[in-house]
Amino acid sequence: MEAVHPEPGAALHDVLQDFSLEMTGKDVPRLQEARAAIPPGTRINVTYLANEDLQMRVAAAEAVRDCGFVPVPHISARRLESAQELQTFLEALQRAGASSDVFVVGGDPPTPAGPYEDSLAVIRSGLLQQHGVRHVSVSGYPEGHPDITDPVLWQAIEAKAAALREQGLRGSVTTQFGFDVDPVFTWLEEVRARGIDLPVRIGVPGPAGIRRLLGYAQRFGVGTSAGIAKKYGFSITNLVGTAGPATFVRTLTERYDPQRHGGLRLHFYTFGGLKATSEWIGEFRGERQ
């Protein structure tokens, strides 16, 4: 398990010490541009989008590795048309030296394209560890999911935590991004109350244009009421300019109690802005030291 802090009110520097980032298969040029601003060994998730193919996904994971970071390729269960497709992808990642860490998610399609109806089915397949996977991250939804009820979400995360133990795989949870820390802490306390001790990476939106942030929030069912937006530091009635996550991150770390909330780190959704997000983190950390 990732280290936890010995005292409540964990230092901001510590929580940001092991942050992770997200990119798409098309973001390799942006990764190269941002490389100098990203600490060596940073975990970088590589998404699994419908408009990208196996070669693009594997090439992106390989580029992450070649830059001195840890690739975390996504596997979208419902997009897989067969067990062979999953095996082919894992084999390619293994050849590229990028299969030790993966993020397994159900994916957007409402109907599975093949035999995997959800991420749990992929975990239980046994194929992951056969191809060098040692650590699996799964999804968490502090504000719920627009298409899945809360009881089903809780049942799923409990089942995935149990399956990871049964399969002998290390695991963690990476949450959807949000703008309000209140549901994050409510959800975290429920996670721990249910006996789920996996380390958690809280999703944070990187600095981006306000219009773009709201567009992504709407797409993923994230709450953006006027009150929440004001706490975060922008107005939903004024879409000009950009917004950064300083208020969210500061409030999150001030309220974080490792005894109640367990292992906690941050995962930044970059929305294509790898360099802007990485530089923002560096500057923010510098201001707080």
Side-chain angles (χ1 to χ4, degrees):
M1 176 182 291
E2 297 177 12
V4 297
H5 305 285
E7 299 177 0
L12 184 64
H13 171 77
D14 292 340
V15 174
L16 279 171
Q17 188 67 27
D18 182 30
F19 65 87
S20 53
L21 300 168
E22 187 140 329
M23 62 177 280
T24 73
K26 296 184 177 70
D27 284 337
V28 172
R30 295 187 177 98
L31 174 68
Q32 299 289 353
E33 181 186 19
R35 181 176 182 175
I38 304 173
T42 296
R43 296 168 62 86
I44 300 183
N45 287 27
V46 180
T47 58
Y48 194 108
L49 302 180
N51 60 354
E52 298 173 351
D53 58 21
L54 182 147
Q55 288 76 19
M56 184 177 292
R57 297 171 189 134
V58 173
E62 193 170 14
V64 171
R65 185 211 64 194
D66 290 346
C67 285
F69 310 125
V70 178
V72 185
H74 286 204
I75 298 173
S76 182
R78 284 190 289 273
R79 293 193 189 282
L80 296 165
E81 296 183 0
S82 65
Q84 183 59 53
E85 183 178 358
L86 173 58
Q87 183 162 326
T88 298
F89 184 42
L90 290 170
E91 287 173 349
L93 290 174
Q94 190 171 30
R95 286 194 300 271
S99 67
S100 63
D101 296 70
V102 298
F103 178 91
V104 184
V105 64
D108 294 333
T111 303
Y116 304 111
E117 63 178 354
D118 53 25
S119 55
L120 181 61
V122 172
I123 294 169
R124 286 176 170 167
S125 72
L127 290 174
L128 299 179
Q129 54 270 55
Q130 290 178 24
H131 294 86
V133 176
R134 298 292 177 264
H135 181 280
V136 178
S137 188
V138 297
S139 299
Y141 299 93
E143 295 188 39
H145 190 289
D147 301 317
I148 307 174
T149 65
D150 285 349
V152 172
L153 286 174
W154 285 119
Q155 182 181 25
I157 195 171
E158 288 176 327
K160 283 181 278 192
L164 290 172
R165 288 194 300 270
E166 293 165 2
Q167 297 286 332
L169 293 164
R170 292 184 295 112
S172 60
V173 180
T174 299
T175 76
Q176 182 55 269
F177 73 86
F179 302 108
D180 189 2
V181 299
D182 290 339
V184 169
F185 283 110
T186 299
W187 177 86
L188 270 174
E189 292 179 7
E190 180 67 16
V191 165
R192 302 316 182 196
R194 290 173 178 264
I196 301 168
D197 60 359
L198 297 174
V200 174
R201 290 182 176 272
I202 299 298
V204 180
I210 294 171
R211 187 184 300 273
R212 192 173 195 187
L213 282 173
L214 294 177
Y216 276 102
Q218 182 179 31
R219 175 182 172 188
F220 293 110
V222 175
T224 53
S225 70
I228 293 172
K230 184 176 180 179
K231 283 198 296 182
Y232 193 80
F234 65 84
S235 169
I236 60 177
T237 61
N238 181 5
L239 303 183
V240 177
T242 61
T247 300
F248 180 92
V249 173
R250 189 181 302 111
T251 305
L252 184 78
T253 54
E254 287 171 352
R255 290 176 53 181
Y256 170 45
D257 178 351
Q259 302 304 318
R260 296 167 61 192
H261 307 132
L264 185 68
R265 291 292 185 267
L266 302 181
H267 176 74
F268 288 86
Y269 291 85
T270 65
F271 310 128
L274 274 166
K275 188 170 187 285
T277 299
S278 302
E279 290 180 344
W280 181 91
I281 295 169
E283 292 168 4
F284 189 68
R285 289 171 64 179
E287 290 172 3
R288 303 296 153 186
Q289 290 178 348

